[in-house]
Amino acid sequence: MKQVTIICGMIIIAALTAFLPKTSFTVKGTVTDSTGAVLPAVAVTEKGTANITQTDANGNFIITVSDTNAVLIFSSLGFGDKEVEVSGKSMLYVQLSPTADSLEEVVITGYGPVSKKNFTGSAVREAETNRMLQGSVAGVAVQADASYPSPAARKAGNRYYRLYQPGDEDFNTEDYDGITENRFLTVKENPLSTFSIDVDAASYSNVRRFLNNGQLPPAGAVRIEEMINYFHYDYPQPANGRPFSIYTELSEAPWNKDHRLVLVSLQGKKVSTENIPASNLVFLIDVSGSMEAVNKLPLVKQSMKLLTDQLREKDKVAIVVYAGSAGLVLPATSGANTQTIKDAIERLTAGGSTAGGAGIKLAYNIARQNFVQGGNNRVILCTDGDFNVGASSDDDMERLIEQERKSGVFLTVLGYGMGNYKDNKMQKLADKGNGNHAYIDDMNEAKKVLVSEFGGTLFTIAKDVKLQVEFNPAKVQAYRLIGYENRMLNKEDFNNDKKDAGELGSGHTVTALYEVIPVGVQSDFVEKVDPLKYQGEAKQRTVNSSPELLTIKFRYKDPAGEKSKLTEHPVTDGHIALNNTSGNFRFAAAVAQFGMLLTHSEFMQQSSYNNVLALANSAVGDDAEGYRKGFLELVKKAGSLAKLEKRSTGEDELAGRK
């Protein structure tokens, strides 16, 4: 009887113990390779959670796990992942083994490796045709002695960047504007941050093209806000008849635990295709000689046929082309006549110079002639942007677009091709034309932009959307907006309804990230100025006792309106641990960190490709379309290419660019 009582007691104790809260446990350790050399920037993740850290320069790490039986995953580019059970040990020594993959597997080609040899002539064209029109993505490896642009060339050579193509002895002239990244600003001197939204996603697909072709992109091609906004996020849909909802989240910055990261997002109202007003579309297609390549006009034709399949009977489409001059190929035709539209597209051929200005004028003229009151009136421009006849300078094109947008016709700019792609001109056209900009690198991207995101790409629900953030000086010492360098506005522009800003499409999401340095944190990024002689010290205001960290103001207009509407959203100083944040927050932070690594940002701090992979991997979520998993593969390719860059340029040059 006594034994039975003891056994029952033990069972009861065990059962009660199972329901007790698990206690956290701190683990320290060192990670080395098979030779004993320490490995810095190894991602250390608690399995099944978003709890992540990384090793320091000496290969050491420290992480607090949920309990003594946790499992840690160690991952680093070039090494196989390793799972280690903590098993109550507070100190771990972990050794990683290199993977069998080698950086010398295949030769870099301008089109992405298809097998272990260089391709020239018809073989190149055949391989490229298959990749572009079928949307396949080749894996990338690189040859150690391959011709490779230096970091300095990538950083400074934004305007004319050479993309190597085998058998091509001429230098290509891809054109990118330089980006001067936003710096940390003190709240005392700059309490307001004002910018226009940006729903463009061209930068990400263009960066993907570079990486799939075995090259790191030039810094000017990397616009971090566009990379973040390429992806879908699970933000709440708007209510109360508003065109968008507002969502914010706050945690520590993954690359600096002493800094905060604030996510600010807008979720556009999703309008079903059948409820989108009648569309009056003009396909404006560049058929000049520069569009002859398989990844240009042939891909354009395939893309426009996809879009044609989305049209309804009440929609109208006209087709304007331009080369040495502009011409009308198809007058306004009902979307019910699908085959007629596709036949007109199929007959297009490339040749001649590029009179882009004449084409734009004619396209807008046709759009005005068929204008649908209360409808979706839009010109869709498909080009590589290489205008060279007539009005072709940036100033000429900007003035032309600014004049034409007054008609109420919106603009979508779809970029194609490589070698002479004019990214900077495409950006200006879209910005000035109340429009958006996408880069189509293959048929998968065409499907994303023109089928999956049909409403967002072609139907505007709010225009001239601006944000203004006021920071509380009692909480925030300094801040930095990550990205949006080309969208910054003066503080006075926020209330000026004449100032143009970005458009929000149906179902679009817009995400912005602020890196914040709290009051009391020592930082070299906080730049001091001498005390002012005449201004004196500003008196402390009652707002400084507020729990609010910042207040966000939004202004927007209805698509046909001219007077803006205002809404406000305060953000309190509520802080949650990074591993408890939403997948939206962690994935957006991972993409931002990736962008900083690609541009060698002076603010990347403890960023690493391994950290990006671990953070993004913890936030893949459902990912039905596979975009987030595709991002993970790109990060791996970029990490391998960065290792090659480091190896081929040497430590001195690498350190000198940071």
Side-chain angles (χ1 to χ4, degrees):
M1 184 67 181
K2 184 176 180 181
Q3 288 180 332
V4 172
T5 304
I6 293 173
I7 293 172
C8 290
M10 292 174 65
I11 293 173
I12 293 171
I13 292 171
L16 291 173
T17 303
F19 289 99
L20 291 175
K22 295 180 179 180
T23 56
S24 59
F25 185 71
T26 299
V27 182
K28 300 179 181 180
T30 304
V31 183
T32 66
D33 64 12
S34 56
T35 69
V38 297
L39 293 176
V42 174
V44 184
T45 309
E46 182 182 358
K47 188 174 182 178
T49 74
N51 187 17
I52 303 166
T53 189
Q54 65 179 12
T55 58
D56 60 20
N58 297 315
N60 298 322
F61 70 91
I62 180 170
I63 185 171
T64 300
V65 295
S66 56
D67 65 79
T68 57
N69 294 317
V71 175
L72 296 180
I73 303 173
F74 297 82
S75 53
S76 179
L77 287 168
F79 295 87
D81 290 356
K82 186 168 187 176
E83 294 190 6
V84 177
E85 294 183 3
V86 173
S87 301
K89 296 189 287 288
S90 60
M91 181 65 70
L92 296 175
Y93 296 95
V94 179
Q95 186 178 95
L96 299 184
S97 300
T99 59
D101 297 337
S102 170
L103 288 177
E104 287 78 29
E105 278 185 348
V106 293
V107 177
I108 291 177
T109 74
Y111 302 95
V114 183
S115 69
K116 297 185 180 183
K117 63 177 181 178
N118 270 323
F119 283 87
T120 56
S122 61
V124 165
R125 289 191 292 273
E126 181 180 356
E128 178 64 358
T129 300
N130 291 334
R131 193 185 78 80
M132 289 295 172
L133 298 186
Q134 296 176 13
S136 62
V137 178
V140 167
V142 288
Q143 187 176 25
D145 60 353
S147 175
Y148 199 82
S150 70
R154 288 200 302 108
K155 185 93 172 174
N158 291 320
R159 291 193 58 81
Y160 295 103
Y161 181 78
R162 171 108 165 89
L163 180 64
Y164 174 73
Q165 298 180 30
D168 176 13
E169 300 305 324
D170 296 324
F171 275 82
N172 297 320
T173 56
E174 296 203 15
D175 214 346
Y176 300 92
D177 282 342
I179 297 175
T180 302
E181 64 180 330
N182 294 325
R183 305 187 64 79
F184 279 99
L185 301 175
T186 61
V187 175
K188 181 179 178 181
E189 302 295 331
N190 301 276
L192 296 175
S193 173
T194 310
F195 67 100
S196 161
I197 69 163
D198 183 6
V199 297
D200 295 345
S203 179
Y204 180 80
S205 50
N206 193 26
V207 165
R208 179 177 62 203
R209 184 253 302 185
F210 274 99
L211 293 174
N212 283 337
N213 286 342
Q215 287 188 300
L216 291 168
V222 182
R223 293 182 291 274
I224 293 178
E225 72 279 5
E226 293 187 20
M227 296 181 66
I228 294 172
N229 288 327
Y230 179 88
F231 297 94
H232 297 159
Y233 298 92
D234 186 24
Y235 300 136
Q237 277 289 311
N240 303 321
R242 293 193 174 187
F244 56 81
S245 62
I246 301 165
Y247 176 83
T248 57
E249 199 167 352
L250 170 67
S251 185
E252 68 258 22
W255 47 86
N256 187 331
K257 302 299 184 184
D258 293 330
H259 292 186
R260 303 281 182 85
L261 194 64
V262 182
L263 178 145
V264 180
S265 65
L266 301 179
Q267 171 64 63
K269 179 181 179 181
K270 187 169 181 58
V271 181
S272 61
T273 302
E274 57 269 22
N275 292 328
I276 293 176
S279 295
N280 162 37
L281 305 178
V282 179
F283 296 171
L284 175 56
I285 301 176
D286 182 353
V287 294
S288 62
S290 68
M291 291 290 289
E292 189 174 10
V294 292
N295 59 349
K296 295 185 180 181
L297 186 57
L299 187 55
V300 169
K301 291 161 70 172
Q302 295 285 344
S303 302
M304 291 301 98
K305 288 177 184 178
L306 275 181
L307 178 54
T308 300
D309 287 332
Q310 309 308 307
L311 301 178
R312 305 154 299 178
E313 183 177 355
K314 63 182 178 180
D315 300 325
K316 294 182 293 185
V317 172
I319 301 177
V320 172
V321 299
Y322 63 92
S325 59
L328 179 64
V329 169
L330 182 74
T333 301
S334 167
N337 299 320
T338 302
Q339 195 57 49
T340 300
I341 300 170
K342 288 185 175 181
D343 288 344
I345 294 170
E346 185 57 36
R347 288 193 295 268
L348 300 179
T349 58
S353 52
T354 316
I360 289 172
K361 288 179 181 178
L362 179 57
Y364 272 96
N365 185 43
I366 298 298
R368 285 194 301 270
Q369 290 176 16
N370 298 281
F371 194 86
V372 177
Q373 199 65 39
N376 177 30
N377 300 279
R378 185 173 295 268
V379 171
I380 302 174
L381 171 61
C382 304
T383 180
D384 57 14
D386 196 4
F387 306 138
N388 54 31
V389 174
S392 60
S393 72
D394 288 354
D395 289 342
D396 287 340
M397 300 304 289
E398 286 182 37
R399 284 193 294 269
L400 175 60
I401 292 294
E402 285 176 342
Q403 183 64 34
E404 295 291 356
R405 78 178 181 211
K406 296 176 183 177
S407 64
V409 177
F410 291 84
L411 177 67
T412 290
V413 180
L414 303 180
Y416 292 82
M418 63 175 72
N420 65 331
Y421 180 63
K422 307 304 182 194
D423 175 85
N424 53 359
K425 196 179 292 289
M426 311 287 265
Q427 281 282 300
K428 291 181 174 67
L429 291 177
D431 292 350
K432 299 299 181 182
N434 279 349
N436 45 41
H437 172 209
Y439 177 78
I440 310 295
D441 57 338
D442 59 28
M443 280 300 291
N444 285 336
E445 187 65 16
K447 290 175 184 176
K448 177 180 185 291
V449 172
L450 300 174
V451 179
S452 302
E453 300 174 0
F454 174 79
T457 302
L458 300 181
F459 182 55
T460 299
I461 60 173
K463 70 177 183 180
D464 293 339
V465 184
K466 310 170 190 174
L467 282 75
Q468 186 167 77
V469 180
E470 180 182 1
F471 292 90
N472 183 353
K475 301 284 187 181
V476 179
Q477 180 181 184
Y479 64 88
R480 185 176 88 88
L481 177 60
I482 301 175
Y484 291 92
E485 284 85 0
N486 298 332
R487 302 288 182 150
M488 301 305 297
L489 299 173
N490 296 323
K491 61 187 180 210
E492 298 83 5
D493 294 334
F494 183 72
N495 293 326
N496 182 1
D497 281 351
K498 294 181 180 179
K499 185 66 177 179
D500 184 54
E503 279 62 52
L504 186 67
S506 166
H508 265 157
T509 58
V510 177
T511 300
L513 294 171
Y514 278 96
E515 185 175 354
V516 167
I517 302 177
V519 168
V521 173
Q522 296 296 317
S523 173
D524 292 336
F525 293 131
V526 180
E527 299 175 300
K528 305 293 184 181
V529 296
D530 292 337
L532 298 177
K533 182 177 181 181
Y534 302 109
Q535 305 304 315
E537 290 295 325
K539 294 182 179 180
Q540 294 292 317
R541 296 173 293 172
T542 56
V543 70
N544 286 345
S545 62
S546 169
E548 295 174 0
L549 187 77
L550 54 90
T551 295
I552 312 165
K553 295 181 180 179
F554 303 85
R555 279 197 181 276
Y556 68 96
K557 299 174 187 172
D558 293 329
E562 293 302 325
K563 185 171 179 58
S564 66
K565 301 176 182 180
L566 174 67
T567 184
E568 294 188 12
H569 183 86
V571 178
T572 56
D573 190 20
H575 173 261
I576 58 177
L578 180 62
N579 59 305
N580 292 329
T581 57
S582 69
N584 294 327
F585 184 95
R586 296 195 304 277
F587 195 82
V591 178
Q593 188 174 180
F594 182 51
M596 289 191 288
L597 287 164
L598 289 176
T599 58
H600 304 291
S601 167
E602 64 177 293
F603 305 109
M604 63 184 180
Q605 300 161 77
Q606 284 83 52
S607 295
S608 71
Y609 287 105
N610 293 328
N611 190 278
V612 172
L613 280 172
L615 191 61
N617 199 47
S618 75
V620 169
D622 182 34
D623 193 36
E625 294 147 322
Y627 299 141
R628 294 192 179 192
K629 293 185 181 71
F631 172 77
L632 295 175
E633 294 306 310
L634 279 192
V635 175
K636 293 175 184 177
K637 291 176 182 179
S640 296
L641 291 167
K643 283 186 176 181
L644 172 64
E645 178 183 90
K646 181 178 180 180
R647 196 171 67 191
S648 63
T649 58
E651 291 290 341
D652 291 340
E653 184 176 1
L654 188 69
R657 71 185 174 198
K658 291 183 179 179

